[in-house]
Amino acid sequence: MLSRVRDVVRRHGLRGVAHLAVDRVGPRQRVAAVYVWYAIDLERADRPQNPLPEGFVVREATIADVASMQQMTSAHTVTITEEVMRERVLNGVKPWLAISDDGRVAGLSWVFTRSLPLRGRYELVLPDDVAGFEDTVTSREMRGRGIAPGLLTQLGDILPRDGVRAIVTRIDVDNAASHRAVQKLGFEECARMRVVTRDWRTIVQMVVPPGDRSYAWMTGQVERTRSPNPLGRALRRATTRRDAASGSEPPRER
Ligand SMILES: CC(C)(COP(=O)(O)OP(=O)(O)OC[C@H]1O[C@@H](n2cnc3c(N)ncnc32)[C@H](O)[C@@H]1OP(=O)(O)O)[C@@H](O)C(=O)NCCC(=O)NCCS
């Protein structure tokens, strides 16, 4: 054993051995997911319109819709249970549905205001006039018929009544159908997000490309605020909002 150690030291030197040791036991980093963030300015005059198929309507979901919403499963979205629905609605998150001409739930999208959950304890704090679409899903048998674009188009008309001027949404870099669906609506890439696991920790990194700085606020608004202490969380959010109000560019300037 001792002779093996002596051999390794001779080959790599003391410093080399130290490096090898750090490599063996030091932090391990892995990119767990990459997301593309998209944004749209709802006040844009040339915002593309993608109407729902004839006879389809949009309405807010109620607790009575949970069973239908539960059927809308996908690898990219959370499965809706009564508990998820109640928790989200209590936090001001609104579920919206596209209903088919024969009364079935065809599409679902959640509208987040104030903040969007990211990963682990991270969330994106949203300015007052920005909402986020999350967990958008079309029922399997209705995909490819423009349901999601139709639902999101209509929400783009409904949300400004509550002062929303821009919408952001994130899509897994490999989710081709989703990229296509939002690009048809005029959403443009505004940031990239990496979820990195380093040993047992999860780290969220947001990068806004150089050039258009309209969404530069996104990097400053990623927070580890999901603390078990709700008071601390509320205080941090209030402080961030004050900073955002005094410092960052409003997103409508796109
Ligand atoms: C993403 C999703 C919501 C799109 O809904 P939809 O109602 O089917 O939307 P569309 O009818 O516009 O179809 C999507 C577009 O993607 C295209 N598309 C479908 N599969 C595709 C693929 N594998 N690669 C590239 N494009 C694809 C369709 O052809 C269509 O584009 P087109 O109109 O130019 O032909 C739906 O596919 C879905 O529910 N996926 C699972 C859940 C999910 O991934 N949600 C997004 C979370 S961010």
Side-chain angles (χ1 to χ4, degrees), residues 74 76 136-138 143-149 175-178 180 184:
S74 93
H76 293 282
T136 303
V137 56
T138 298
R143 287 186 191 162
R145 294 180 55 191
I147 307 299
N175 189 347
S178 235
R180 177 77 194 117
K184 282 195 285 189

Side-chain angles (χ1 to χ4, degrees), residues 50 73-77 106 108 133-140 142-150 169-172 175-181 184:
N50 285 260
T73 53
S74 93
H76 293 282
T77 54
L108 162 66
F133 288 151
E134 184 80 8
D135 293 323
T136 303
V137 56
T138 298
S139 71
R140 279 175 203 281
M142 300 225 187
R143 287 186 191 162
R145 294 180 55 191
I147 307 299
T169 193
R170 80 180 147 129
I171 294 174
D172 188 314
N175 189 347
S178 235
H179 289 284
R180 177 77 194 117
K184 282 195 285 189

Side-chain angles (χ1 to χ4, degrees), residues 54-57 98-107 142 145 147:
E54 184 88 14
F56 282 54
V57 291
I99 306 291
S100 69
D101 45 3
D102 59 359
R104 284 178 295 156
V105 174
M142 300 225 187
R145 294 180 55 191
I147 307 299

